């Protein structure tokens, strides 16, 4: 999808019939035979109980007409065609806002493929399990562009408390649970956090949505007749993955290329902030602290420490920071024992992360606040706490 920004007035939301309980959200930009076939297949999925909400960014009159024709064939395929491209991220937010009052939602892209029963079977599973916030029913696959389908079903993540459920969570397995059928209300906390954050990280959207749901309910993985195939935006068909990560995440927010190597650290910090701070769906302060520290450690060890592991990783860090003694000291502290043996999300780590942002940020134009200043404000607004020190971060 294109992610170009646009400042236009919001497209009005077409009315969703009151009979609809599940909304399948389909953001689209492409106008290809594959996209046409996927969108056309929605005619056989939508019904009085299951609507398909399509938000189109293509600016293509021919496609707009095609979508209107689909709507005339099946009025439960609802269409909003933006006059101008509002960007992939804003289009995604548009769909979530449009579906805010629907009880259940599922998400797919215009190059994904699903069998007609995949989302509906998961919806029926949630109807039968009121303590669950999300479900997959059937088989899920990821195709990274090499022609091989990788099965990506996750285990059920159940428990009486948030930490019991999150201990089953794997932030590194190939997974597409962001796209599974969910209770729409359980995404709201994560959505508000993501909208406020000025900085995104590796699969931060997926992580925050998953953790937002697990904070208050189970994730169920059950057998089913259907299947779903997801084609990630960052796959092997697109060339250098690291360059694409940078272009997608940081090029347009004012950070130099080298910051891409701290993408996992960014995700680890923000997931901890989400669970421990003002946006957290967890009400118990003890559970907030336990879950935030657990998830931080899980992601920090599997991303930042892996990136800079071994002699070559340490040497890369030394070369990167050799002319910045204070930043180098922080790199050594946080990438080696004793901290690396028992990582903890705390004020000192946040302070060092702010140094990284200041080091790698580009000069702001005019009076525009820098990314470091914007992230500092975000930390203060989120107000996560270091329970061990009892001091507010920021």
């Amino acid at each position: 999808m294109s992610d170009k920004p646009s400042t236009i007035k919001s497209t009005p939301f077409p009315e969703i019939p009151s009979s609809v309980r599940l909304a399948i959200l389909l953001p689209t930009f492409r106008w290809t035979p594959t996209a046409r076939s996927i969108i056309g297949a929605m005619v056989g999925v939508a019904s009085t109980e299951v609507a398909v909400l399509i938000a189109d960014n293509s600016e293509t009159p021919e496609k707009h007409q095609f979508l209107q024709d689909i709507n005339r064939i099946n009025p439960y395929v609802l269409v909003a065609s933006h006059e101008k491209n509002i960007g992939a991220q804003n289009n995604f937010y548009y769909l979530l806002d449009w579906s805010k009052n629907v009880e259940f939602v599922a998400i797919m892209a215009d190059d994904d493929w699903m069998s007609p029963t995949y989302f509906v079977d998961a919806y029926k599973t949630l109807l039968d399990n009121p303590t669950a916030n999300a479900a997959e029913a059937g088989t899920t696959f990821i195709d990274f562009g090499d022609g091989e389908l990788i099965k990506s079903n996750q285990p059920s993540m159940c428990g009486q408390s948030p930490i019991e459920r999150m201990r089953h969570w794997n932030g590194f397995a190939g997974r597409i649970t962001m796209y599974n059928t969910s209770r729409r209300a359980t995404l709201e906390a994560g959505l508000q956090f993501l909208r406020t954050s000025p900085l995104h990280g590796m699969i931060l959207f997926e992580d925050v949505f998953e953790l937002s749901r697990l904070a208050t309910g189970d994730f169920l993985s059950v057998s089913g007749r259907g299947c779903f195939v997801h084609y990630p935006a960052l796959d092997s068909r697109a060339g250098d993955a690291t360059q694409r990560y940078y272009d997608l995440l940081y090029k347009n927010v004012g950070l130099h290329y080298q910051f891409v190597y701290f993408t996992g650290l960014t995700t680890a910090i923000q997931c901890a902030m989400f669970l421990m701070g003002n946006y957290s769906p967890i009400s118990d302060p003890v559970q907030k602290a336990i879950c935030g520290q657990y998830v931080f450690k899980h992601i920090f060890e599997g991303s930042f420490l892996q990136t800079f592991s071994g002699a070559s990783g340490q040497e890369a860090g030394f070369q990167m920071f050799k002319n910045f003694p204070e930043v180098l000291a922080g790199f050594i502290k946080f990438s080696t024992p004793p901290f690396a043996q028992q990582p903890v999300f705390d004020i000192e780590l946040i302070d060092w992360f702010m140094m990284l942002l200041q080091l790698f940020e580009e000069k702001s134009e005019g009076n525009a606040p820098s990314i470091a200043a914007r992230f500092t404000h975000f930390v203060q607004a989120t107000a996560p706490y270091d329970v061990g020190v009892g001091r507010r971060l920021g």
Side-chain angles (χ1 to χ4, degrees):
M1 291 185 185
S2 170
D3 215 357
K4 68 177 182 179
S6 180
T7 54
I8 63 170
K9 63 180 181 180
S10 179
T11 305
F13 296 133
E15 184 177 357
I16 301 172
S18 59
S19 61
V20 171
R21 298 190 68 187
L22 167 65
I24 298 172
L25 312 182
L26 203 169
T28 179
F29 169 76
R30 300 174 180 85
W31 184 229
T32 63
T34 298
R36 284 195 291 274
S37 65
I38 289 168
I39 293 169
M42 296 299 103
V43 170
V45 176
S47 65
T48 56
E49 197 172 354
V50 181
V52 177
L53 309 187
I54 300 176
D56 176 42
N57 252 343
S58 71
E59 304 180 20
T60 305
E62 183 184 3
K63 184 176 182 182
H64 294 177
Q65 184 60 54
F66 171 78
L67 293 173
Q68 291 302 321
D69 291 342
I70 293 292
N71 173 257
R72 278 191 286 270
I73 295 169
N74 187 334
Y76 292 96
V77 179
L78 304 176
V79 176
S81 294
H82 303 301
E83 182 180 345
K84 296 293 183 181
N85 187 338
I86 63 174
Q89 182 173 305
N90 285 334
N91 200 28
F92 179 68
Y93 289 153
Y94 176 90
L95 283 165
L96 286 163
D97 288 343
W98 186 7
S99 63
K100 186 172 183 178
N101 295 320
V102 180
E103 190 174 0
F104 300 94
V105 296
I107 303 166
M108 65 180 296
D110 64 1
D111 63 342
D112 292 334
W113 183 90
M114 70 163 187
S115 57
T117 64
Y118 180 79
F119 289 133
V120 176
D121 287 349
Y123 157 64
K124 292 177 179 177
T125 298
L126 291 176
L127 290 179
D128 293 335
N129 294 274
T131 63
N133 284 341
E136 63 177 358
T139 307
T140 58
F141 297 99
I142 300 178
D143 184 345
F144 287 102
D146 55 6
E148 181 180 355
L149 293 180
I150 299 173
K151 187 177 179 182
S152 61
N153 286 73
Q154 297 298 288
S156 291
M157 292 171 263
C158 304
Q160 297 299 310
S161 66
I163 189 59
E164 288 180 55
R165 296 185 288 271
M166 290 180 192
R167 288 192 191 281
H168 299 289
W169 182 72
N170 186 335
F172 303 101
R175 71 207 198 281
I176 55 172
T177 54
M178 174 178 171
Y179 299 87
N180 294 142
T181 306
S182 306
R183 297 184 191 277
R184 170 60 182 82
T186 65
L187 301 179
E188 190 62 24
L191 178 61
Q192 294 307 314
F193 178 88
L194 292 166
R195 286 184 121 144
T196 308
S197 173
L199 188 64
H200 288 160
M202 185 73 69
I203 57 175
L204 181 66
F205 269 75
E206 289 89 336
D207 288 349
V208 168
F209 272 7
E210 291 170 359
L211 295 170
S212 188
R213 298 180 311 200
L214 290 173
T216 56
D218 297 334
F219 171 82
L220 299 179
S221 181
V222 301
S223 59
R225 300 168 293 168
C227 65
F228 181 86
V229 182
H230 176 58
Y231 298 87
L234 297 168
D235 63 30
S236 61
R237 295 170 292 188
D240 180 19
T242 304
Q243 182 65 50
R244 288 215 67 211
Y245 286 133
Y246 171 72
D247 291 345
L248 182 66
L249 297 172
Y250 304 124
K251 185 176 182 179
N252 294 323
V253 299
L255 287 166
H256 292 294
Y257 179 82
Q258 284 178 305
F259 189 78
V260 75
Y261 298 107
F262 299 90
T263 300
L265 175 63
T266 304
T267 300
I269 287 172
Q270 293 204 69
C271 285
M273 287 174 58
F274 170 61
L275 292 171
M276 298 171 73
N278 289 335
Y279 293 94
S280 179
I282 304 172
S283 57
D284 178 16
V286 174
Q287 281 290 309
K288 289 171 76 168
I290 292 173
C291 290
Q293 293 292 356
Y294 174 80
V295 168
F296 169 77
K297 183 175 184 290
H298 172 71
I299 300 174
F300 184 86
E301 290 179 337
S303 56
F304 175 73
L305 291 184
Q306 288 296 315
T307 300
F308 292 101
S309 64
S312 61
Q314 287 291 299
E315 179 61 25
F318 274 99
Q319 292 301 317
M320 197 178 300
F321 303 128
K322 63 182 180 181
N323 295 323
F324 308 95
E326 193 173 5
V327 182
L328 177 60
F331 171 75
I332 295 171
K333 174 179 178 177
F334 295 116
S335 64
T336 60
F339 186 93
Q341 293 174 322
Q342 190 60 44
V344 176
F345 176 65
D346 62 14
I347 186 69
E348 293 183 4
L349 180 72
I350 285 287
D351 287 344
W352 182 65
F353 185 71
M354 294 302 183
M355 291 183 194
L356 291 178
L357 290 177
Q358 292 168 353
L359 177 64
F360 291 123
E361 68 186 1
E362 299 172 349
K363 185 177 180 180
S364 300
E365 297 182 4
N367 295 322
S370 68
I371 185 63
R374 291 165 59 203
F375 195 80
T376 297
H377 178 75
F378 177 57
V379 172
Q380 292 169 344
T382 306
Y385 287 85
D386 177 5
V387 175
V389 177
R391 176 182 169 195
R392 179 173 292 193
L393 299 178

